[in-house]
Amino acid sequence: MDRTSGEGQLTAESPADSNPDEQANDLVARSRAVGDVSFAAVVDDAELPRILWAAPDGLEIAGQGIATHITATGPDRFDRLQAQAEQVFDTLEYDGPAVARPRAFGGFSFHDGHEPTPPWTGFDAASFVVPRAFVTRTERDGVWLTVVSDSAGDADDVLERWDDQLTEGPTMCSSGSGPGVGSTHRTTSPSAWASQIEHALDRIENDRLVKVVLAQALSVDLEAPVDVPETLERLRRRYPNCYRFLVGQRDGGTFFGAPPERLVSKHGADVETEALAGSAPRGETPESDDEYADRMFDDEKLQHEHDLVVRAIREQLDSLARELTIDDRRIRKLATIQHLQTPITATLERDRHVLELVEALHPTPAVGGVPPDRAWETIRETETFDRGWYAAPIGWFDGDGDGEFAVGLRSAVASGDTATLFAGNGIVADSDPDEEWEEVELKFRPILDELRDR
């Protein structure tokens, strides 16, 4: 049952026998409106399963504990996960407001053959939880507390206790400072990187590969354990128009990030996605900033790379949609980097689960390549580290099959006083290893800057 520790931290165990993987009873959810609360207080215990999701449109959710846990592996993991989820939600009792409804949160590994080895201990190939307790906030609906249990009586009792604890707790979290970086080590040396790109270019020339995204990992030794919720709060202030997520597993570390890219969102028949590919640094003055943006529009390599992503998304959605609209290309400006962006919307031909769209779109050419099978093969034989959940779908879905997913970029997995950061770049026919190295370094910065003690 839920309890409060001696230090006053909010903690939540799973209902029934506290083993969500053996949960057999139907679930019951109860919600109530609450005052403004600290979402960080809900996810500040790194030893508990926890989730945090914040979207640019203002939806914020923070949860703790596990009411039920859904996992799947193998090439059919999307179908198996959807089938399990439908069984859970079909028998879940909830009559509260839609904004506070139970949802399943989690993500997928980039490769379907992923094995959860360090630093990805606890992160299965597909893993989602319905949190035991969570708070939801939107500008229109305010803040709601929801508890999910295996009985109505227990849900009511736990809801009352959590309401009291949240009311007595802080409403703000400290922005703080980073833990400090002791040392860093790239998994790929400059010479190895050049060899990897040469191998990719050889395949592009001789093996009908058009584009492949190659990535690197950056191992970071920290001067103290990282406070992930505080790090995300600092990322919110610096990158307010990006997603923010945190997934802390029962056994293992915490995967977190501030990705700029939406993979897909679905509400009813309406679908939104985007192409985000091609990047440049921000300028130190408005004039130099505009110059970088203009160069992206004039750069044939970047335009070609972006066109590949737009074309692939259109092809992936074409069989699922009765209407599809590709908006005008634009510049997406972030604090340290700017990207070419093309918003894409669609209306589905028939009712589908958001996981079907996630499967159809993952991986986009922005994180995989073109064509996907040859790109995946090249990534597997070239990269020397495990991508895990990096560059893979991270998000949520509900009992109606609606949901939203981001691409797990600008991300890291942290455990104790170590963190592993990830970044990659699209390689096309005229890619230059030195330029690609510098661009990857630029993409490490959002997380690395917040880990430094400033």
Side-chain angles (χ1 to χ4, degrees), residues 193 197 200 211-216 277-280 301-302 305 337 339 365-369 379 383 387 390-391 409-410 422-428 431-444:
W193 177 248
I197 290 183
K211 171 189 174 180
V212 62
V213 178
L214 296 182
Q216 300 179 26
S279 57
K301 171 186 173 291
L302 294 183
E305 181 183 348
I337 196 169
H339 301 280
V367 296
I379 290 169
E383 291 182 353
R387 285 196 178 194
Y390 162 69
L409 304 172
R410 310 299 192 270
F422 306 92
N425 245 19
I427 309 303
V428 293
S431 290
D432 176 83
D434 291 336
E435 293 178 358
E436 304 297 343
W437 178 272
E438 292 176 2
E439 190 168 337
V440 168
E441 187 170 10
L442 187 64
K443 292 175 180 177
F444 280 129

Side-chain angles (χ1 to χ4, degrees), residues 101-145:
R101 65 193 181 277
R103 313 174 203 224
F105 296 86
F108 298 85
S109 59
F110 187 86
H111 298 294
D112 55 27
H114 164 75
E115 295 291 338
T117 56
W120 294 106
T121 302
F123 291 83
D124 294 318
S127 176
F128 284 76
V129 301
V130 177
R132 165 73 154 150
F134 60 94
V135 287
T136 306
R137 175 166 53 209
T138 70
E139 183 176 347
R140 184 184 68 179
D141 299 294
V143 183
W144 288 80
L145 167 66

Side-chain angles (χ1 to χ4, degrees), residues 280-294:
R282 296 296 305 272
E284 295 183 359
T285 66
E287 293 77 16
S288 62
D289 200 51
D290 290 340
E291 287 180 6
Y292 279 121
D294 290 341

Side-chain angles (χ1 to χ4, degrees), residues 101-236:
R101 65 193 181 277
R103 313 174 203 224
F105 296 86
F108 298 85
S109 59
F110 187 86
H111 298 294
D112 55 27
H114 164 75
E115 295 291 338
T117 56
W120 294 106
T121 302
F123 291 83
D124 294 318
S127 176
F128 284 76
V129 301
V130 177
R132 165 73 154 150
F134 60 94
V135 287
T136 306
R137 175 166 53 209
T138 70
E139 183 176 347
R140 184 184 68 179
D141 299 294
V143 183
W144 288 80
L145 167 66
T146 303
V147 168
V148 184
S149 186
D150 58 355
S151 73
D154 182 65
D156 291 335
D157 290 344
V158 174
L159 186 70
E160 193 69 37
R161 289 200 297 274
W162 267 71
D163 191 1
D164 292 342
Q165 294 164 21
L166 288 171
T167 300
E168 295 169 359
T171 59
M172 298 287 290
C173 73
S174 169
S175 62
S177 61
V181 172
S183 63
T184 64
H185 172 71
R186 285 210 201 186
T187 59
T188 309
S189 67
S191 59
W193 177 248
S195 296
Q196 290 178 2
I197 290 183
E198 290 300 326
H199 174 69
L201 293 175
D202 182 66
R203 293 206 61 174
I204 289 172
E205 181 178 0
N206 299 303
D207 196 26
R208 298 196 304 278
L209 179 67
V210 178
K211 171 189 174 180
V212 62
V213 178
L214 296 182
Q216 300 179 26
L218 180 71
S219 299
V220 181
D221 291 322
L222 303 170
E223 295 176 353
V226 59
D227 186 324
V228 176
E230 280 201 355
T231 302
L232 287 175
E233 172 62 16
R234 294 194 301 277
L235 286 166
R236 178 191 67 81

Side-chain angles (χ1 to χ4, degrees), residues 275-278 296-297 302-303 306 330-331 339-342:
L276 196 73
M296 282 197 288
F297 279 118
L302 294 183
Q303 291 293 326
H306 192 86
R330 61 193 65 174
I331 299 293
H339 301 280
L340 292 172
Q341 178 192 41
T342 299

